[in-house]
Amino acid sequence: MDPELQADLAMELPIAGSRWPPIVRALRHDDYRLFWGGCLLSNVGTWMQNVAQGWLVLELSNSSFWLGMVGFASAFPFLLFTLFGGVIADRVSKRHLLIGTQTSQMIFAFVLAFLTYFKVITIGQLAALAFLTGITNALNAPAYQALVPRLVPSEDLPNAIALNSAQFNLSRIVGPTLGGYAMAWFGIAGNFFLNGFSFLAVLWPLHRMRYPEEKREHHASMLRSLKDGIAYVRRSPEMSAIVILIASASFFLLPFITFIPYFAKDVLRAGERGLGFLMACSGIGALLAAGVIAYFGKIRWRGRIIVGFGLFVMAAVIVFCYSHIFALSAAMSFCEGFGMIISLSTVNVTMQQLSSDEMRGRVMSIYATSFLGLPPVGCLIIGELSRHMPTEHAIAAMTGVAMVCYVGFYLRSKPLRELD
């Protein structure tokens, strides 16, 4: 029997007697369930580190400029390396690639913990480690996105993607909350140590999963493969429209996330626990949104959903920028998380379904680049603007530009309006 068919049959065998509720039906597949749980625990650790890293930047520099610079260092590799990560993901085993990137991130987390614990960390070292971690994240993202369709059948793919959003955003609730308390109890270095250990949770299922072999092409050069992937996306009016739309939100809107520690510390005077609570509120909204997507499955009028909820997020961010009431800021964080995941889950499912198996790594790398590659440039702009005006004005202005882009592009793009 063909090994790939045999692996697929093995993946399906446990399903017959299972009685999983429709909202979590993708978890009936053993390998996906193990991977999902491991990613949940690992992402909790990552959010704990993110909370501590932003706080450490402010302790070392007390500067919104450096907060933007470290955000730039951690995210800029997405712009440089994610496209090549997609080419690599289509050429090698996605499982082996993920094992390598996750192991590297574990090592960087322990190095950061060591330097912080012994109080020898500098802002330059922090930015360098953020950059190295960003490189591994850039190589990791396309493989992670392209791995999921190999672990579940096509009819369960929308549910699996929604559950991925759910576990990621559940970690956004648990991670920042634990991170805020851990910083208060054990210091910043404790968060970094815990993140390092959390990578074991995802490395174990990656080592033991029954991952089906893939047909991989090696004859084309890296550059040729990359050009083929870009041409493939450009030939699809729907995928092209989504990439352009997400790129505008990525550049003008997403840098806001990097500056949440500034609002918690200097605007709301909420401290470490307040920062954790704000990020947790965003995670609660996102988790609720992921549950909605998982429950309803197929979404109609996807173009309208993507644009409408994107505008909803932008409005919430602008209100957040000018709020000096913690409860209102928490409510806007909830709205931001809810709208963001409704929009992005719809984008993710659409891109996965429009792509062929052999091109999926490259397609998802183009999407990941448009989504994650441009925020560092936006962070630099906001960091520089914050030298000349209040940070909240700079972020609100950038978000307003994003709203104009969304409305204008939706009115001009027929494929986006007709995307069902």
Side-chain angles (χ1 to χ4, degrees):
M1 182 182 292
D2 180 74
E4 184 172 344
L5 176 60
Q6 189 174 16
D8 288 340
L9 288 174
M11 182 176 65
E12 298 298 330
L13 281 176
I15 299 175
S18 63
R19 291 293 183 270
W20 289 86
I23 195 171
V24 293
R25 60 187 176 275
L27 293 179
R28 60 187 178 174
H29 307 284
D30 289 343
D31 287 338
Y32 175 75
R33 183 168 64 252
L34 287 171
F35 184 61
W36 185 91
C39 288
L40 172 62
L41 294 176
S42 180
N43 283 329
V44 167
T46 298
W47 279 105
M48 293 180 70
Q49 172 158 317
N50 288 345
V51 170
Q53 181 173 286
W55 203 262
L56 180 60
V57 170
L58 292 175
E59 283 197 351
L60 293 174
S61 67
N62 195 30
S63 166
S64 293
F65 171 76
W66 274 108
L67 198 60
M69 284 297 296
V70 173
F72 174 82
S74 63
F76 187 61
F78 280 97
L79 189 60
L80 297 179
F81 300 108
T82 304
L83 290 175
F84 293 100
V87 175
I88 295 171
D90 284 335
R91 288 170 172 254
V92 304
S93 167
K94 298 173 182 61
R95 181 171 69 94
H96 292 156
L97 179 58
L98 287 171
I99 289 173
T101 56
Q102 296 294 301
T103 301
S104 299
Q105 290 180 50
M106 178 174 66
I107 293 171
F108 297 147
F110 282 132
V111 171
L112 184 56
F114 177 85
L115 294 174
T116 304
Y117 180 78
F118 288 102
K119 302 186 185 303
V120 295
I121 187 74
T122 66
I123 194 70
Q125 293 169 342
L126 181 58
L129 285 168
F131 183 77
L132 291 174
T133 302
I135 293 175
T136 59
N137 272 324
L139 298 176
N140 179 87
Y144 175 83
Q145 297 282 357
L147 177 77
V148 174
R150 304 288 296 174
L151 302 180
V152 299
S154 58
E155 62 268 20
D156 284 342
L157 181 58
N159 183 255
I161 292 174
L163 290 177
N164 275 355
S165 294
Q167 64 86 4
F168 178 78
N169 291 292
L170 180 59
S171 72
R172 288 179 67 188
I173 301 169
V174 178
T177 303
L178 290 179
Y181 281 101
M183 280 195 296
W185 293 338
F186 308 118
I188 294 174
N191 287 38
F192 300 146
F193 274 116
L194 290 171
N195 181 44
F197 284 115
S198 75
F199 285 102
L200 298 175
V202 73
L203 286 170
W204 179 71
L206 283 171
H207 275 288
R208 75 173 299 279
M209 68 171 50
R210 304 182 304 275
Y211 183 67
E213 292 297 323
E214 303 171 85
K215 295 179 181 179
R216 297 186 289 270
E217 298 292 337
H218 298 279
H219 59 272
S221 67
M222 288 278 288
L223 188 58
R224 179 72 262 172
S225 295
L226 179 56
K227 289 181 177 178
D228 289 343
I230 294 173
Y232 180 78
V233 171
R234 291 184 64 183
R235 287 195 297 270
S236 169
E238 295 86 358
M239 285 196 288
S240 298
I242 290 172
V243 167
I244 294 172
L245 191 72
I246 293 302
S248 67
S250 171
F251 183 80
F252 292 110
L253 173 66
L254 290 187
F256 155 77
I257 297 172
T258 301
F259 291 87
I260 293 178
Y262 160 79
F263 288 99
K265 185 174 188 291
D266 294 340
V267 177
L268 299 171
R269 310 290 182 183
E272 298 98 322
R273 296 179 184 179
L275 172 61
F277 186 79
L278 285 175
M279 298 181 74
C281 285
S282 177
I284 292 170
L287 181 62
L288 178 61
V292 170
I293 295 290
Y295 180 79
F296 286 102
K298 182 175 175 59
I299 298 176
R300 300 295 308 277
W301 303 109
R302 288 176 288 179
R304 298 180 184 181
I305 291 292
I306 293 168
V307 173
F309 277 94
L311 293 172
F312 175 75
V313 170
M314 295 167 197
V317 168
I318 291 175
V319 174
F320 183 96
C321 286
Y322 293 108
S323 168
H324 291 270
I325 303 171
F326 187 82
L328 177 59
S329 298
M332 291 303 100
S333 292
F334 174 89
C335 292
E336 173 266 325
F338 182 86
M340 185 78 74
I341 294 307
I342 292 288
S343 182
L344 292 182
S345 292
T346 305
V347 167
N348 198 321
V349 170
T350 302
M351 295 293 285
Q352 295 270 19
Q353 291 179 333
L354 290 173
S355 173
S356 63
D357 286 340
E358 61 271 16
M359 298 296 292
R360 185 168 284 117
R362 279 164 282 185
V363 167
M364 297 313 294
S365 74
I366 293 169
Y367 162 61
T369 300
S370 68
F371 177 53
L372 299 171
L374 297 178
V377 183
C379 284
L380 276 184
I381 293 174
I382 293 176
E384 180 59 32
L385 288 175
S386 68
R387 292 182 165 188
H388 310 287
M389 66 175 70
T391 303
E392 48 266 44
H393 291 351
I395 295 174
M398 294 273 283
T399 304
V401 174
M403 296 182 81
V404 172
C405 291
Y406 257 53
V407 173
F409 190 69
Y410 179 77
L411 294 176
R412 293 176 59 88
S413 176
K414 185 177 179 180
L416 185 63
R417 291 196 306 272
E418 295 181 350
L419 182 61
D420 191 12

